[in-house]
Amino acid sequence: MAMRSHYCGLVTEAQLGQTVSLCGWVNRRRDHGKLIFVDLRDREGIVQVVCDPDLLNDQFKRAEDLRNEFCIQVKGVVKARTAETVNEKIGSGKIEVFAQELIVLNPSVTPPFLLDDDNLSETTRLTHRVLDLRRPYMQKNLMLRYKVAMQVRNFLDAQGFVDIETPMLGKSTPEGARDYLVPSRVHDGQFFALPQSPQLYKQMLMVAGYDRYYQITKCFRDEDLRADRQPEFTQIDCETSFLGEEEIRALFQRMVTEVFKTQLNVDLGEFPIMSYQEAAFRFGSDKPDLRVKLEFTELTEVMKTVDFKVFSGPANAEGGRVVALRVPGGAEMSRGEIDGYTEFVKIYGAKGLAWIKVNEVTKGRDGLQSPIVKNLHDEAIAEILKRTGAQDGDLLFFGADKLKIVNDAIGALRLKVGHSDFGKKSGLFENRWAPLWVVDFPMFEFDEDEQRWNAVHHPFTAPKDGHEDLMDTDPGACLAKAYDMVLNGWELGGGSVRIHRADVQQKAFDALKITPEAAQAKFGYLLDALQYGAPPHGGLAFGLDRLITLMTGADSIRDVIAFPKTQRAQDLLTQAPSPVDEKQLRELHIRLRNAQPAAQ
C-alpha cells in the first residue's frame, strides 16, 4: 500500500471496512488506559485513530510515546463509531480508524503554543508562522485563496484572456506610492524598481495586439501600512482592448459574482452604480459601506448665517462643508461615549465633534439638549430638524471644516457608529453582502501644498467623452472613465479606460504640469508605443488579498497571506529586512552612511 491512500479529513462512511493508509500530524492524544485515541490532522481535516494494543502489538509503545505535532503514518481499518460517539462537527465524525500499523515519521519538540489556542498574539503567530500555518483556520483560508485563484484563471481563460508575465525589475516612475528600489551591480549607481503595478507593461501589451491579458502577480509599494495593506501584495491584473467602460464592468462583475456563488454559495445580487460625487456627498467616502443605514445631511447653506463660527466659518469658506449625521435612538448614548467619538474624529483632522440630543422635536429649541443650541438661531434649528428628519430620542453629530476633513472624519464616524454594538442593536447595521460600483471619478485633485493638479488614479486614465478640453480649461470639472468595485466598504478592485491617443495624453500631462521632456524621461517607452496605432483599451485590477479577507471574514489581511509582513514591514519568521555584509555592498557600489559620532 502507498504511504498515503486518503487524506485524513476525507475518510468517511464510504470507506467503511476498507484498510486505509493515512499520514499527518498528531493534533491531540488521549490515553484511556487500554485504548489510546489520536486525532490525526492533515490539510483536509481530522480523523480519529484508535490504538488498541491487541491490534498494534509491539507497536503500541509508539502510540504511548506520541505527542502533539509528531508526524506519523497510520495503516488501519475504517469502522463506524457508536451512535453516542459520533462527532457531527467534522467530516469524518461518523467513523474512526483502528490502527494496525503505526510509524513515527518524525517526532516534534514541544510546540511554543497549542494549535487550538485562539488567543495568540500576532507576534507569536508570525514568529512561528510555519506552525501557525498548520492551524485549521489558516489552512482553510489559504485553501480558499487557492480555489478562488483557480476559478479566476478558468473564468478568464474561457473569456479569451492570456496569462502573460511582466518584469519584476523595471524603471522607477515616481507616481503614487514610494518605489522599492533594487541597486544594479552591473550599472554603477543605477537602480531598478519593483513594480507598484504592471500598468505600463499591460498597456503596451494591448498596443502589441494581445487583446486580452491577465496576470495574478505581486506588486510592491513602500508606503505606510494598515491592517488591509502589505508592502507586497497580490493583484488579479487584467487589461482588454475594444471594450467600453460598461462592458468591462459587466465582465468582471460576472467573474466576482460567480466566485462568490461557487466558493461561498452567496448570491451577491445587483450591483448598484453610484457616482463618486454622490458617494462623497451622502457618505463622505469613495467606498461606502452600504450595510450602515446612516448618511450625511448637507447643511452648508443653512449654517452661513449662524453666529457660531465653528459652523459659519467653514460654511462661508471656499472648499468648506457642514454636515449632520443623524443617529436614530442615539440620545441614549452617555456623555462618555460621545467624548470617545470626539477623540476618534480627531484622528482624521477634525478639531472636535458638535452634537445635539433630540428629546422632543415638537418643542423646537426647548426640546434639544446641547451646549451649541444657544449659538444657533431659530430658523437654523428648524431647518436642521427638518432636513435630518430628526425624531424624539435621536442624536445629531455635526462636522464642519474643509471638505476633505469633514468627509473623512464624519465618514469614519458613520462606520464607527454603524459597526458598534449600539449600531447593530439599534438596527443601523444590516448584516448582508453589499456590492457597489463607484464611477465617474474626478480626473484630477488639487494639491494645496504644491499648488498643482495631481491625477486621482494615474496619468493614463481617459477622460469622459466630451471632457477632453476641460483638461485645459477646468481640470477640476473633468471626470474620468474610472470605476471601483466596492464590497462592504472595501475597494475590491479598480480600473479605468486608458488614454490611447497621443494628443489626449499630452493634454493630461499639460494639466499635471509634466513637461514633454519629463514625460519622455519617465514614460517615453509607452508614449512611443502609443504612436503605432494603439487600440482603445482599459482594464481593472483586483486585490486578491482583500478579496479573500472579505470572503473568509478574517480580521486582518495577514490572515490570508502565507508569509506576511508586520505593520512595520518586517518578516518576523526570517528576520527580514536584515543587514548584509560589506562585500555585497561593495559589489553594488553602495556605502552606508555612518551615524554621527556622539558629542564629546
Side-chain angles (χ1 to χ4, degrees):
M1 182 179 284
M3 181 176 283
R4 177 169 64 193
S5 64
H6 297 78
Y7 281 104
C8 298
L10 301 183
V11 181
T12 67
E13 292 168 290
Q15 283 77 45
L16 282 175
Q18 295 181 21
T19 299
V20 296
S21 181
L22 309 174
C23 295
W25 289 266
V26 175
N27 193 65
R28 192 178 172 203
R29 171 188 165 278
R30 304 183 302 284
D31 192 336
H32 286 200
K34 186 175 186 316
L35 300 178
I36 291 175
F37 293 87
V38 175
D39 291 340
L40 189 61
R41 183 193 72 243
D42 61 20
R43 74 178 203 195
E44 298 297 338
I46 288 176
V47 69
Q48 179 168 282
V49 176
V50 182
C51 299
D52 184 331
D54 294 337
L55 291 174
L56 281 172
N57 300 315
D58 59 339
Q59 293 183 25
F60 187 74
K61 178 69 169 61
R62 297 175 186 171
E64 292 179 316
D65 292 339
L66 290 179
R67 298 293 180 268
N68 284 10
E69 301 312 311
F70 274 38
C71 183
I72 66 173
Q73 177 189 9
V74 172
K75 292 180 182 178
V77 177
V78 180
K79 297 186 179 182
R81 292 198 195 195
T82 58
E84 63 271 15
T85 62
V86 167
N87 182 354
E88 297 288 356
K89 294 180 180 179
I90 59 176
S92 63
K94 292 183 178 179
I95 60 91
E96 52 195 358
V97 177
F98 278 74
Q100 296 171 324
E101 185 177 339
L102 190 156
I103 300 171
V104 176
L105 299 173
N106 213 339
S108 170
V109 297
T110 303
F113 53 81
L114 296 174
L115 268 64
D116 58 0
D117 185 351
D118 293 328
N119 298 309
L120 298 171
S121 72
E122 189 169 74
T123 298
T124 298
R125 291 180 56 203
L126 294 184
T127 301
H128 303 282
R129 189 60 161 182
V130 174
L131 285 178
D132 187 48
L133 287 172
R134 285 186 185 176
R135 298 166 66 223
Y137 167 74
M138 286 302 302
Q139 298 218 330
K140 178 184 174 184
N141 288 356
L142 291 186
M143 292 300 286
L144 178 65
R145 182 184 178 113
Y146 158 73
K147 291 174 183 176
V148 168
M150 282 302 299
Q151 186 175 350
V152 164
R153 288 185 186 280
N154 291 335
F155 176 91
L156 293 172
D157 182 68
Q159 299 300 318
F161 283 77
V162 181
D163 184 354
I164 303 176
E165 294 180 355
T166 55
M168 283 291 151
L169 297 176
K171 183 180 176 65
S172 177
T173 55
E175 302 289 328
R178 192 180 293 111
D179 282 331
Y180 274 101
L181 298 177
V182 180
S184 169
R185 179 183 60 81
V186 178
H187 301 282
D188 187 0
Q190 298 187 45
F191 296 81
F192 294 106
L194 300 181
Q196 295 188 29
S197 83
Q199 181 63 46
L200 304 186
Y201 288 110
K202 66 185 177 184
Q203 288 191 245
M204 290 188 289
L205 286 170
M206 294 302 101
V207 181
Y210 287 90
D211 194 64
R212 293 191 173 194
Y213 138 97
Y214 87 95
Q215 194 181 182
I216 299 182
T217 185
K218 284 287 187 194
C219 300
F220 305 85
R221 291 179 187 172
D222 187 6
E223 59 186 351
D224 295 332
L225 304 176
R226 298 196 301 258
D228 61 344
R229 283 186 179 171
Q230 282 278 292
E232 54 179 314
F233 56 97
T234 304
Q235 273 189 191
I236 305 169
D237 197 58
C238 309
E239 196 81 1
T240 179
S241 298
F242 309 116
L243 288 185
E245 183 179 351
E246 293 80 8
E247 293 169 299
I248 293 171
R249 290 206 311 264
L251 177 66
F252 290 105
Q253 178 176 320
R254 184 152 62 90
M255 182 183 83
V256 170
T257 299
E258 289 183 10
V259 163
F260 270 79
K261 186 63 179 174
T262 301
Q263 303 302 333
L264 300 183
N265 196 27
V266 165
D267 184 356
L268 289 178
E270 293 298 313
F271 282 58
I273 299 171
M274 185 180 296
S275 71
Y276 167 88
Q277 289 78 3
E278 181 184 350
F281 183 80
R282 293 173 60 191
F283 308 110
S285 171
D286 61 0
K287 46 181 183 296
D289 186 346
L290 298 185
R291 298 174 301 169
V292 176
K293 300 179 184 177
L294 300 171
E295 59 183 89
F296 292 7
T297 300
E298 182 61 42
L299 295 174
T300 307
E301 288 297 319
V302 175
M303 296 304 180
K304 286 188 172 181
T305 59
V306 301
D307 293 332
F308 193 37
K309 291 288 189 288
V310 170
F311 287 172
S312 60
N316 289 288
E318 184 178 354
R321 189 181 190 192
V322 183
V323 302
L325 186 74
R326 174 192 165 216
V327 181
E332 71 178 58
M333 285 189 199
S334 68
R335 184 59 189 267
E337 288 175 293
I338 294 173
D339 289 345
Y341 286 130
T342 302
E343 290 304 308
F344 172 74
V345 296
K346 289 179 181 177
I347 297 170
Y348 299 89
K351 300 178 185 70
L353 183 63
W355 54 272
I356 293 176
K357 285 189 176 183
V358 182
N359 295 327
E360 290 187 62
V361 174
T362 55
K363 289 187 176 180
R365 176 190 300 275
D366 294 335
L368 306 180
Q369 177 187 343
S370 168
I372 70 166
V373 171
K374 63 180 181 292
N375 298 314
L376 304 176
H377 51 63
D378 290 342
E379 184 183 346
I381 288 174
E383 201 63 23
I384 290 168
L385 296 176
K386 176 184 172 184
R387 292 195 182 195
T388 59
Q391 304 290 319
D392 293 353
D394 289 353
L395 176 64
L396 305 178
F397 285 121
F398 297 87
D401 211 308
K402 291 180 180 177
L403 177 72
K404 185 178 188 312
I405 290 176
V406 169
N407 286 352
D408 289 351
I410 307 303
L413 177 66
R414 171 182 173 268
L415 296 179
K416 185 84 168 171
V417 173
H419 285 270
S420 68
D421 291 340
F422 167 82
K424 291 174 180 175
K425 178 188 70 176
S426 304
L428 304 181
F429 178 84
E430 198 174 358
N431 189 18
R432 64 182 178 94
W433 293 97
L436 173 71
W437 282 109
V438 178
V439 301
D440 295 351
F441 282 82
M443 276 278 286
F444 309 104
E445 58 188 354
F446 194 71
D447 186 322
E448 296 283 352
D449 296 331
E450 297 285 335
Q451 286 295 297
R452 56 170 288 177
W453 293 100
N454 290 328
V456 169
H457 285 84
H458 52 66
F460 315 105
T461 304
K464 292 292 244 187
D465 294 339
H467 284 221
E468 293 87 353
D469 289 340
L470 288 174
M471 290 192 282
D472 294 330
T473 60
D474 189 0
C478 185
L479 298 182
K481 291 181 179 177
Y483 35 81
D484 282 357
M485 182 186 286
V486 176
L487 184 62
N488 293 2
W490 285 45
E491 178 196 329
L492 268 195
S496 67
V497 173
R498 324 301 185 188
I499 296 171
H500 68 283
R501 284 172 37 204
D503 58 331
V504 178
Q505 186 64 70
Q506 189 55 55
K507 284 178 179 287
F509 285 154
D510 289 344
L512 296 167
K513 294 185 177 176
I514 298 175
T515 66
E517 295 76 20
Q520 193 63 34
K522 291 179 180 179
F523 319 113
Y525 48 95
L526 174 65
L527 301 179
D528 291 345
L530 292 178
Q531 298 178 89
Y532 299 106
H537 59 282
L540 197 148
F542 289 95
L544 179 62
D545 311 300
R546 288 187 181 187
L547 175 61
I548 305 304
T549 303
L550 271 171
M551 293 180 75
T552 58
D555 292 330
S556 165
I557 202 168
R558 292 184 283 279
D559 282 353
V560 301
I561 298 171
F563 300 104
K565 309 293 188 289
T566 67
Q567 281 189 275
R568 297 189 64 223
Q570 290 177 299
D571 183 341
L572 298 182
L573 176 68
T574 65
Q575 296 297 303
S578 59
V580 297
D581 63 42
E582 186 64 30
K583 180 175 180 288
Q584 287 177 281
L585 292 176
R586 281 199 306 272
E587 288 176 340
L588 293 169
H589 319 288
I590 288 176
R591 180 184 296 120
L592 297 180
R593 286 183 173 179
N594 292 324
Q596 292 295 318
Q600 297 298 315

